[in-house]
Amino acid sequence: MNLSDERLERLAHKLRLPDVPALVSSLAQEASTKEWSFPDFAEALLQAQSDLSDARACDTLQRLAGFPARKTIDAFDFSFQPSVNRKQIQELASCAFIERVENVMLLGPPGVGKTHLAISLGVEASKRRLSVKFTTASRLVASLAEARTAGTFSRRLMGFVRPSLLIVDEVGFLPLDASEASLLFEVVCRRYERGSIVLTSNKSYGEWGEVFSGDTVIATAILDRLLHHSTTIPIKGESYRLKDRKKAGIVTTPAG
Ligand code: ADP
Ligand code: MG
């Protein structure tokens, strides 16, 4: 490495532009072939560094989010699920709802794409450098109950409160007892008007009493806060999971 390379390396490090030295070499060739002006070169260099930094930040945020699978809106087949409005999902994908601190409630039977869409919105948020945490209702309450026993409740709670977007999947999948319901309530209260929640449930709002083991008071209190500033997306239709099996004649009735 010659002296000017070393100086470039040091400055790039100081300015936190780690890829600039490598980019200078790789773009120099292109600049000369395409006869770029100096400003063109400077712009291409900074744009390339900015793209690499964004991609790295996005990867880190997605790793921290703990998504169970990688799902994108592009991979969602809207023609299979006509009850999902593509325009509405695209609007949500802009993440303006996170800026406005609104919630998104995805409701519907198994296999209709609730988790897929929830993860996709999380991925879009991470692309905009917004922090995301993905969890299921049962993992959330189990984690907080464990932290309470271990004396680390406040810190664990902050893990669900701090991210710009919290995704709570599978509310209603398993009924929550009174102490579990109070833990979910705590998280919903702490995020109320402070941070967005994307929530999925296989239960309609009328059935939320059952989700909380018949305690309609806590069900109403939680729903009240969740729905105050929110969009509900009710998904009807067939399970995507059974699509291919149905085609093969293995399943003959809709799964519901
Ligand atoms: P739910 O959470 O509603 O039970 P999922 O989101 O887990 O359903 O969907 C089940 C599987 O089917 C996932 O692999 C998901 O990616 C896929 N899937 C569901 N709906 C669609 C769709 N409309 N287009 C593409 N893939 C879909
Ligand atoms: Mg799901």
Side-chain angles (χ1 to χ4, degrees), residues 22-227:
L23 286 168
V24 166
S25 319
S26 64
L27 288 174
Q29 184 64 42
E30 197 179 349
S32 116
T33 336
K34 296 185 180 163
E35 297 182 1
W36 284 350
S37 65
F38 288 125
D40 284 347
F41 178 76
E43 186 186 339
L45 176 64
L46 293 178
Q47 186 63 56
Q49 173 66 77
S50 164
D51 292 348
L52 283 170
S53 301
D54 283 349
R56 223 172 266 139
C58 183
D59 278 355
T60 305
L61 287 168
Q62 289 187 14
R63 208 161 358 92
L64 291 173
F67 297 129
R70 194 177 150 79
K71 302 285 175 185
T72 60
I73 290 173
D74 284 347
F76 192 81
D77 180 356
F78 288 89
S79 64
F80 182 81
Q81 214 59 266
S83 69
V84 178
N85 180 323
R86 184 197 292 264
K87 275 228 168 68
Q88 186 179 30
I89 300 297
Q90 278 165 346
E91 206 291 309
L92 292 170
S94 75
C95 295
F97 76 98
I98 302 176
E99 315 263 300
R100 296 194 297 260
V101 197
E102 292 170 2
N103 302 324
V104 176
M105 312 286 285
L106 295 155
L107 306 184
V112 293
K114 302 181 297 296
T115 303
H116 184 131
L117 289 171
I119 295 173
S120 306
L121 292 178
V123 166
E124 290 304 317
S126 67
K127 284 191 203 161
R128 287 161 181 78
R129 295 206 178 206
L130 296 166
S131 54
V132 184
K133 181 162 181 74
F134 180 100
T135 186
T136 63
S138 29
R139 266 196 280 134
L140 179 144
V141 297
S143 162
L144 287 174
E146 182 212 65
R148 192 161 50 190
T149 314
T152 54
F153 184 77
S154 305
R155 190 150 26 100
R156 189 70 58 87
L157 181 63
M158 285 320 287
F160 295 111
V161 171
R162 219 178 274 127
S164 302
L165 176 64
L166 176 69
I167 301 174
V168 186
D169 200 19
E170 296 181 351
V171 175
F173 210 66
L174 297 170
L176 302 178
D177 66 24
S179 105
E180 292 168 332
S182 73
L183 293 170
L184 180 62
F185 180 68
E186 179 86 25
V187 171
V188 169
C189 278
R190 293 291 297 269
R191 293 191 69 90
Y192 177 61
E193 296 189 334
R194 277 182 232 146
S196 292
I197 296 177
V198 167
L199 182 147
T200 82
S201 180
N202 57 335
K203 297 277 196 290
S204 66
Y205 296 137
E207 297 169 307
W208 271 45
E210 289 166 37
V211 174
F212 298 99
S213 310
D215 187 342
T216 50
V217 176
I218 193 126
T220 309
I222 291 177
L223 268 183
D224 213 40
R225 283 160 184 79
L226 283 172
L227 298 185

